[in-house]
Amino acid sequence: GARRPIDRRAQDRACPSNMGPTPGAYNYVVTAHKPTSVTHSVVGNFTHDDELNLIVAKCTRLEIYLLTPEGLRAVVDAPIHGRVATLALFKPPLKKKHLIFLATERGAFCVLAYDSSKGELVTEAMGDLTDRIGRPAECGQIGIVDPECRVAGAHLYDGLFKCLPLDRTGQMREAFNVRLDELQVVDVAFLHGCPKPTIAVLHQDTKEARHVKTYEIDLKTKDLVAGPWAQSDLEGGTSRVIPVPAPLGGAILLGETVIVYVNGANANAPHMSVDAETRGKAPVSGTSSKSVDVGTTTTRAVAVATRAAPFMAHGAVDADGSRFLLSDAAGVLHLLVLQNDGERVVSLKLEPLGSTSIASVISYLDNGVAYVGSAYGDSQLVRLHAQPVPVSEDPPDLSSGDQNSTTFVEILETFPNLGPIVDMAVVDLDRHGQGQVVTCSGVAKDGSLRVVRNGVGIQERAAAELPGIKGCWSLKNGDDAPHDTFLVVTFMRETRVLAVDDASDEIGECEFEGFVATEQTLWTGNVAGGMACQVTSSGVRLVDAATGALKASWSPKNEHGEPETIGVASGNANVVVVATSGGKLVSLRVGVSSPKNSRDSSMDVDGVGTEPLDASSSLIAVVATVDPGGEVACLDCSPLEEGKPAEACAVGLWSTEVKTFSAPGLALLSRAALTRADARDAASPDETGTAGTGSNGLLSGGASASGVIPRAVLLCKFEGVAYLLVGTGDGGLSAFALDATPGAVGGTLDLSESPKTVSLGARPVTLRAFKNKNARHVFAGSDRPTVIYGNNGKLVFSNVNVPDVAHASPFDCAAFPDSLALCSDADLVIGGVDDIQKLHVRAVPLGEQPRRIAHQPATNTFAVLTQRENNSSSGDEHFVRLLDAETFETKHAYALRENENDGAVISCEFADDPNSYFVVGTAFAAPEEVEPSRGRVLVFKVVRDALVLVAEKEVKGAVYNLNAFNGKLLAGVNSKVQLFRWVARNGEGAASDGPSGAGATERDPNADGIAGDHELIGECSHHGHIVALYVQVRGDLIVVGDLMKSVSLLRYEPNESAIVELARDFNPNWMTAVDALDDDAYLGAENSFNLFTLRRNSDASTDEERSRLDVAGEFHLGEFVNRFRRGSLVAKARDAGDVSAECTLFGTVNGALGVLATLEKDVFEFALKVQNAMNVVVQGVGGLSHEKWRSFHNEHQTRPARGFVDGDVVERFLDLKKDAAKKVAALAGVSVEDITRRVEALQRVTH
């Protein structure tokens, strides 16, 4: 409809300038998990004319993949400032590559191309499809492009079709509207092979009968002309028009029980026969072709009946349109064959292929491979086989009625999707102080729980109690060994060699005769020549890696020939570097590649060295000896790249300094002092975040300070950038970027002047590199262990789900491939590593749709309300399922009564009762009722892994929500908010509260008998709502989100035993979720994809002002929010710096997880300046305006966003190139370094 002018005065009234800090006005919204529901997909040559691309839209994001022999490779992942309504590819005659036509739900459109030289999207055209007048179409926006690229079209308003003429290069000319006589349009499509642009319009008349009619678009007269054919009286459920490419032409009309192919044909042509098969059954009788006279033309129709569920998606297989893939609502993939004689369709054939996710889009790629995009479950890459293949049993499909044991569909790859998130719980399952989100995701058979947590998971595979471990390393039994064989663990005065028994997969100690077992090992590893090296305080030993036989040894001596000890050591396949008690740093060549001479005097800085002590001098030889300039605390000489020789050696000194030396020559390359004015100023990466940059980190020069002594150093390379990582004694870590100068001998490595500094914990940090999925990562051991890796040019820190890891080592043995050995103060754990990523998502397939979830810490269980599809007349089945919180196994299922639907579930405790209960709210759905007139409140107790019904309360309506409320139960029942007390039954029907109580256990858990000695008694209620859909509580305050009447604030008066209304929002918002930010600020989400905050005028002077909730902030999120939950995915930072935030998580229909953080006023104003500067410097994809996108918008009005900052835009600053970052900083009036530091701090405390 027409947009109303913005009333600036109303805004000024809503937010007076003379007020102090406004509750609810400083909000920071950021995406923790991007939307994953697929809404559109197309296939074409977009990035290059000989490259095949899959282009996927996920509501507000555009992803472009390249099809490779290895699978799909991501090329572009870009945010869109709008909800994608149309996504189409077209190739103008004078273009070699396809272009993208993209339109948003608010009517903005753009044409995109790809610049392969810059690797970015380019906007070819942009504009607006909206008109000042017109009634928005009920079916939503439909955007299409003529196959011959003559015109693009869009249907946005009833009775109008907008045309955008295209020239031969794809440029758009002046748009115009043409009038449609059909007002209730269901679908529109351009037809192939027509001399003029021709559309087929599927529409519904006033009697709800459906018809299809064709029109030609005359671009000269800018009008519609009657098309070549029409078809009346289609099946009532016909919902889609699928154009068929030339030479066949025509269109396929998808109905609920019949599929029809229609096309204009010569009236004298012979009638076509029909070959119809449905789901493997015999041909359906009674289907035939028919001809329909329409003026001077004749419509030829061929039909095939189907007993499949309604079709949800389609995709063409062949360029000539002879085969199409169809997916139905049950997730069954079908092949529709248009059997033809080369010019005309003779018959249709429909064959079921197999089961996939319930598809929202289908795109056929190549060589039998298709992409099944889903908004209801995981998206999949599948291969279609000509012959049946065995059905995979994982995950199980508990609801499918298909009993076939074979399928023609092989699932190649799965792309996780959290959408739609209908409910979620924030819990700390690992009890590490870090929240995890468990979501109710998926639809029907694709329903599942998704456990989302921040960081990296370690799956324990073996464990042993070994207290006091000081270090661990893995060894192979030869140079060519594919797996590790031994695990060396060392203690204060002891070294043990462990191995895995192939027969039992158990770890045990083994003999390794060449190693010294009575000393602590400082370093050990494989060296060239099939040998292993052990460094202890007494010297260096080389042994045969397979047998342990001693090959050579070396011990340090001073210039007088007196023995010295080794304090610190590190090595690689060719070089070992040790620090001696004489204050020297000695470099040794080890292994068969050692030179004949025992030492290289040219590399000896001070002329002091030692000689080998045995005859095998060629295996160990001194290369260089230098004075490091202080006592060595730690060192590392790891190669920057695997398989290449080490270029440098890093040394940390007790004098709080780090240095780099060349390897093996030990020439000084660079140095830096470790200074920190205040050790607590180091930024904390918390659970997952990018490293911070600040002036209080490791800097070049300056005086030393306590608490920053280097305890571990590591040279490594991430994404081609070399780093020196320094772990300090106070639990901090600093990352120096190393600059390699080409042409210098071995490369010249200089420490950067601005290292990134973070706090990982409180204990000294240890560092060890490992590989995961062929990528290099670093494990940082501390009281908060962390995995460090590179992503998009940044260092990312992901916490690990195991506490207190002092030492770690990769251990890739045959029994436990791709594992890590983790040592704590008490034990040794061998664990597999999950995918290294920012958020880890674990799927728990249910085979039915989860609708509500609650966690009970006392019993460590979840109660999940599920819905199972049932094709019988009795309707769907609903269950209350009890799941173990660790294994997510179903312990017990309680079936609700026939026609009883689930509504809400919580875990709570009642006053004067120590037990924990699950409380479930239900509603009985009668077909003749508009709103349910009865429901139940069920109280369950968990006894011996079973749900035991201990109380039941019938109510007059549907129970939409439940809340624990000061030892009582608060329920939203239809239009009322009711409060219940938990009272004893006066001894009647008492049952034991203990787990051994016979009354609670020796009964059918699914029986409706009551086994408890308490009951729910109504205390008071509050009326005056349309439907009290959403209720949240805070103390005595009750926040109600109404179906139509926005938000109202209630309060319970215990003295009067009454619920009274304090204030309400008088705007007509249709609510989808509510929450209380604090006592005076409230958060709401409504069905036009907006967020808003309200504040209470508790100190106002008049009753009228106090009874009104004023709008404090408004923001267009672009996502349908189903649930707010207080909590965070990150543990509270130990060193949060100058940023603090209270976080609320939200889940959306499109599978996005977001964070709303309430900031301090100065932090909010800083973020707002960065956002505004970013919008000036960085243009949105397709030129789409960020300001318009985030403006509060519904069908009545559009207002600028206020009180919110878009954190996604702010955090995008971290990905900018230097020049763009400088422009943003200049506009914001803040330095690049300060913006980086503060944005990273925001990132750490929010997600």
Side-chain angles (χ1 to χ4, degrees), residues 902-970:
D902 50 52
V905 61
I906 62 166
S907 171
C908 69
E909 296 179 356
F910 294 106
D912 302 322
D913 187 343
N915 297 302
S916 295
Y917 298 96
F918 281 120
V919 184
V920 175
T922 73
F924 289 92
E928 66 276 6
E929 292 181 342
V930 178
E931 282 290 326
S933 61
R934 54 188 287 258
R936 292 194 298 168
V937 178
L938 308 175
V939 183
F940 294 97
K941 183 181 177 184
V942 179
V943 179
R944 293 183 178 176
D945 289 338
L947 290 169
V948 176
L949 184 64
V950 296
E952 173 188 340
K953 178 72 175 179
E954 290 225 5
V955 293
K956 296 180 180 180
V959 182
Y960 288 108
N961 51 76
L962 295 167
N963 280 274
F965 188 72
N966 301 329
K968 302 176 183 180
L969 181 69
L970 189 71

Side-chain angles (χ1 to χ4, degrees), residues 1040-1063:
V1040 180
D1042 191 84
L1043 173 68
M1044 300 169 60
K1045 293 170 62 176
S1046 194
V1047 177
S1048 56
L1049 179 67
L1050 314 178
R1051 184 170 62 197
Y1052 171 63
E1053 301 288 354
N1055 295 332
E1056 302 173 10
S1057 188
I1059 299 175
V1060 297
E1061 181 178 301
L1062 297 180

Side-chain angles (χ1 to χ4, degrees), residues 697-710:
L698 289 163
L699 300 176
S700 182
S704 63
S706 61
V708 291
I709 296 171

Side-chain angles (χ1 to χ4, degrees), residues 732-1030:
L733 182 136
S734 293
F736 289 89
L738 301 176
D739 301 321
T741 304
V745 177
T748 301
L749 299 175
D750 295 325
L751 296 180
S752 65
E753 294 185 358
S754 301
K756 296 181 182 294
T757 305
V758 297
S759 175
L760 300 184
R763 289 171 42 176
V765 174
T766 61
L767 300 169
R768 184 66 62 87
F770 71 98
K771 289 185 68 176
N772 179 269
K773 302 293 190 293
N774 295 320
R776 197 174 191 189
H777 311 284
V778 172
F779 191 100
S782 183
D783 55 322
R784 279 173 30 194
T786 303
V787 170
I788 308 167
Y789 61 100
N791 184 29
N792 294 328
K794 300 180 295 183
L795 288 184
V796 180
F797 298 77
S798 293
N799 74 300
V800 181
N801 68 340
V802 291
D804 295 329
V805 175
H807 304 277
S809 172
F811 187 48
D812 180 22
C813 66
F816 310 121
D818 296 322
S819 296
L820 284 175
L822 306 176
C823 306
S824 67
D825 293 336
D827 53 21
L828 167 70
V829 174
I830 309 297
V833 185
D834 291 337
D835 289 340
I836 307 296
Q837 54 194 14
K838 187 169 184 178
L839 283 181
H840 183 268
V841 180
R842 173 189 172 192
V844 183
L846 298 177
E848 55 193 34
Q849 182 170 344
R851 294 179 37 80
R852 298 292 184 266
I853 186 170
H855 178 246
Q856 191 171 91
T859 57
N860 200 28
T861 56
F862 286 101
V864 181
L865 308 186
T866 66
Q867 176 181 348
R868 178 190 295 174
E869 287 188 333
N870 189 342
N871 296 326
S872 67
S873 59
S874 61
D876 294 344
E877 299 174 284
H878 292 79
F879 299 90
V880 184
R881 295 193 177 274
L882 182 69
L883 273 65
D884 185 276
E886 294 183 359
T887 64
F888 287 91
E889 294 179 359
T890 298
K891 297 294 185 181
H892 182 231
Y894 182 96
L896 298 182
R897 295 175 182 174
E898 186 175 336
N899 295 325
E900 186 176 20
N901 295 347
D902 50 52
V905 61
I906 62 166
S907 171
C908 69
E909 296 179 356
F910 294 106
D912 302 322
D913 187 343
N915 297 302
S916 295
Y917 298 96
F918 281 120
V919 184
V920 175
T922 73
F924 289 92
E928 66 276 6
E929 292 181 342
V930 178
E931 282 290 326
S933 61
R934 54 188 287 258
R936 292 194 298 168
V937 178
L938 308 175
V939 183
F940 294 97
K941 183 181 177 184
V942 179
V943 179
R944 293 183 178 176
D945 289 338
L947 290 169
V948 176
L949 184 64
V950 296
E952 173 188 340
K953 178 72 175 179
E954 290 225 5
V955 293
K956 296 180 180 180
V959 182
Y960 288 108
N961 51 76
L962 295 167
N963 280 274
F965 188 72
N966 301 329
K968 302 176 183 180
L969 181 69
L970 189 71
V973 182
N974 281 11
S975 61
K976 298 184 296 182
V977 177
Q978 293 185 259
L979 185 65
F980 298 94
R981 290 184 292 116
W982 184 244
V983 298
R985 283 202 185 106
N986 299 321
E988 297 180 7
S992 171
D993 286 337
S996 60
T1001 58
E1002 294 181 3
R1003 59 179 295 276
D1004 180 4
N1006 277 340
D1008 282 339
I1010 307 303
D1013 53 3
H1014 285 70
E1015 62 182 335
L1016 290 170
I1017 300 295
E1019 178 178 340
C1020 58
S1021 63
H1022 183 272
H1023 302 257
H1025 311 279
I1026 304 296
V1027 179
L1029 283 180
Y1030 311 100

